[in-house]
Amino acid sequence: MIGAQLVTDVALAEAHRLGGADETIVLVTDRVDASLRWANNTMTTNGESTSRTTTVISIVRRNDDAHVGSVRSSAVDPAVITDLVAASQKAAAAAPPARDNAPALPGGDAPPNWDDAIPRTGAEAFGGVANSLTRGFRGGDTLFGYARHILETTFVATSSGLRRRFTQPNGSVEINAKRNGASAWVGVSTPDFVDVPTDSMLDELGTRLSWAGRTVELPAGRYETIMPPSTVADMMIYLTWTMGGRGAQEGRTALAAPGGGTRVGEKLTSLPLTLFSDPAAPGLECTPFVTATSSSERSSVFDNGLPIERLDWIRDGVINALAYPRAAAAEFGAPVAVGADNLLMTGGTASLQEMIASTERGLLLSTLWYIREVDPSVLLLTGLTRDGVYLVEDGQVTAAVNNFRFNESPLDLLRRASEAGVSEVTLPREWGDWATRAKMPSLRIPDFHMSSVSQAQ
């Protein structure tokens, strides 16, 4: 493999030589992936891998239109670069006019670390986790799970002279524990594996499995429910995925206002909650510029390299912003807004334990999974509970109950929430493979809709 920086230089030079595009954007991502797995109280596998993806985006301008060709390859042989550039230019020449046409971003000096070596990771990152797990294997419960650490270094280079580089760390640890037919799950995200609280995670699993020593069968219905941060993250992440400005302006999403326009400015909840993304959020830092290999309603290839700032999707309970790439912003007269690859929400002051203690009778969720959209017009989602739903009576967890299928909209959950707990860094269970950087509060929902009993165990 030649250096990623050299790949961008070679691709841009080849694009200039072939002359089939007015503008060229090259994105190269080098990925280093380390993993550790365990099952039945035994370490099973660990491994490391290195990979690269190279994307060449060619833009052909004809009159007022722009035509885009984007071609991606995972090959590392430098000989493929010529073919990759040629294929991109050929695709652009045959493409219809791009709806998200925007001017090229200006160039500038390369960042000081442009030529630095690619950061590495390996199995040594898991030393602390492995030591704690070894002790946990002797604790009596059966443990399963995995840890993963990924470093992705992305380079963006354009024919106008723009240069960007960022290394994105992604780390997570997930542990399942089983005892007498009951199961429980805990997970955390981490950028560097320096502070993974494996011992306290094992303690939490033990507590949840002890709650399952008594079981109660409950019917479907609406229950006062405490949603811990992981479950809130899963619902709020899906919400922001649907917060594209174009879809709302065209009346195709739940953020469209009756009669036209969008719901920006509508008060959604009386709780002073702010839902936001911020590439500089401490501990949850992420790529501070656009890296788009293809266009969508929330991002555009024309915006590659555009700086990303903090974006308040909901501010003090009011819908505040939708995602607008530059072209859509110009079309609809809205501010340019691109979300960062993290999601945070403010909360209150009560801990999860304090919220349980103030509950007369209700349910405590653990995790959600298999979330799917039912009705995009109201953002109704369905899914299943998993690895522990618990009955709370008189401020105490008294039993585990059966699993349910639920039907809920994240917009309605915010509208009906009666209490928010302290905001905590969390790992979403359903979307953890794509979204590891989240900070959410627990939410109390007076009437969470458990639509049917699930036989899942």
Side-chain angles (χ1 to χ4, degrees):
M1 292 173 64
I2 63 174
Q5 303 91 329
L6 184 55
V7 172
T8 66
D9 292 342
V10 171
L12 290 173
E14 185 63 17
H16 178 74
R17 186 187 70 81
L18 292 175
D22 297 289
E23 299 158 27
T24 305
I25 303 169
V26 182
L27 296 93
V28 181
T29 298
D30 278 4
R31 174 180 171 127
V32 184
D33 190 330
S35 62
L36 175 69
R37 294 180 180 272
W38 54 94
N40 290 316
N41 291 354
T42 302
M43 297 294 181
T44 55
T45 59
N46 68 78
E48 302 172 17
S49 64
T50 300
S51 61
R52 169 178 290 168
T53 57
T54 302
T55 303
V56 177
I57 301 168
S58 297
I59 300 171
V60 175
R61 297 192 181 272
R62 300 176 188 145
N63 301 319
D64 293 330
D65 293 329
H67 307 260
V68 176
S70 179
V71 179
R72 183 178 181 181
S73 174
S74 58
V76 297
D77 185 347
V80 306
I81 298 176
T82 296
D83 292 340
L84 189 62
V85 173
S88 175
Q89 293 187 356
K90 182 179 180 181
R99 191 177 190 180
D100 56 328
N101 180 12
L105 290 169
D109 295 334
N113 66 340
W114 177 263
D115 291 319
D116 290 355
I118 302 297
R120 309 286 302 180
T121 188
E124 65 275 5
F126 309 126
V129 172
N131 288 336
S132 293
L133 284 170
T134 301
R135 294 191 294 271
F137 292 161
R138 299 191 291 267
D141 297 325
T142 306
L143 304 181
F144 304 79
Y146 67 94
R148 194 173 190 185
H149 194 215
I150 301 168
L151 295 180
E152 288 187 319
T153 302
T154 298
F155 297 82
V156 177
T158 74
S159 54
S160 64
L162 183 146
R163 299 291 185 273
R164 297 281 188 268
R165 171 183 171 158
F166 188 79
T167 296
Q168 179 65 71
N170 295 286
S172 62
V173 180
E174 299 188 47
I175 309 176
N176 275 89
K178 298 185 183 296
R179 181 195 301 171
N180 299 328
S183 64
W185 174 94
V186 293
V188 298
S189 65
T190 175
D192 50 22
F193 280 81
V194 172
D195 56 353
V196 177
T198 314
D199 290 334
S200 62
M201 294 170 71
L202 293 173
D203 290 341
E204 177 64 22
L205 288 168
T207 297
R208 295 183 187 184
L209 291 175
S210 69
W211 290 341
R214 174 175 176 253
T215 59
V216 173
E217 296 292 322
L218 292 179
R222 292 187 176 272
Y223 293 91
E224 179 170 317
T225 299
I226 299 174
M227 298 179 65
S230 175
T231 63
V232 176
D234 274 325
M235 298 298 279
M236 294 304 113
I237 287 168
Y238 202 100
L239 169 60
T240 58
W241 284 346
T242 69
M243 294 183 77
R246 179 178 295 281
Q249 294 279 2
E250 295 176 352
R252 296 184 281 104
T253 73
L255 278 302
T262 74
R263 293 173 64 181
V264 170
E266 177 183 324
K267 190 173 182 61
L268 195 60
T269 173
S270 59
L271 297 177
L273 299 176
T274 296
L275 181 70
F276 65 99
S277 56
D278 182 1
L284 300 173
E285 293 88 351
C286 58
T287 308
F289 52 84
V290 173
T291 58
T293 58
S294 61
S295 293
S296 68
E297 292 194 356
R298 299 176 74 247
S299 65
S300 167
V301 295
F302 291 90
D303 293 348
N304 271 302
L306 182 75
I308 297 176
E309 307 291 342
R310 170 171 167 153
L311 179 58
D312 289 359
W313 303 97
I314 297 170
R315 181 182 294 165
D316 293 329
V318 176
I319 300 174
N320 179 70
L322 300 175
Y324 289 95
R326 286 186 298 153
E331 179 179 346
F332 295 108
V336 175
V338 181
D341 194 19
N342 61 13
L343 192 63
L344 302 87
M345 188 158 71
T346 59
T349 59
S351 67
L352 179 61
Q353 291 72 27
E354 289 170 334
M355 293 178 69
I356 294 171
S358 62
T359 301
E360 182 177 345
R361 191 172 193 275
L363 299 180
L364 171 64
L365 296 185
S366 175
T367 65
L368 306 178
W369 76 305
Y370 209 72
I371 299 172
R372 298 295 183 268
E373 191 173 68
V374 176
D375 185 350
S377 67
V378 293
L379 198 56
L380 181 64
L381 307 179
T382 191
L384 300 172
T385 65
R386 187 178 186 184
D387 289 320
V389 182
Y390 304 102
L391 179 64
V392 181
E393 298 175 297
D394 298 323
Q396 301 282 338
V397 178
T398 60
V401 305
N402 46 276
N403 280 304
F404 297 95
R405 173 171 292 280
F406 68 87
N407 285 331
E408 283 289 0
S409 164
L411 290 167
D412 273 347
L413 289 177
L414 290 175
R415 179 177 58 81
R416 290 162 25 227
S418 59
E419 182 184 9
V422 65
S423 188
E424 303 174 4
V425 174
T426 188
L427 179 69
R429 177 76 181 275
E430 174 76 340
W431 311 123
D433 286 345
W434 299 276
T436 61
R437 289 170 293 281
K439 185 177 183 180
M440 293 286 151
S442 299
L443 291 180
R444 184 187 301 276
I445 310 299
D447 54 353
F448 193 95
H449 186 202
M450 302 297 187
S451 55
S452 62
V453 172
S454 169
Q455 300 304 314
Q457 298 296 320

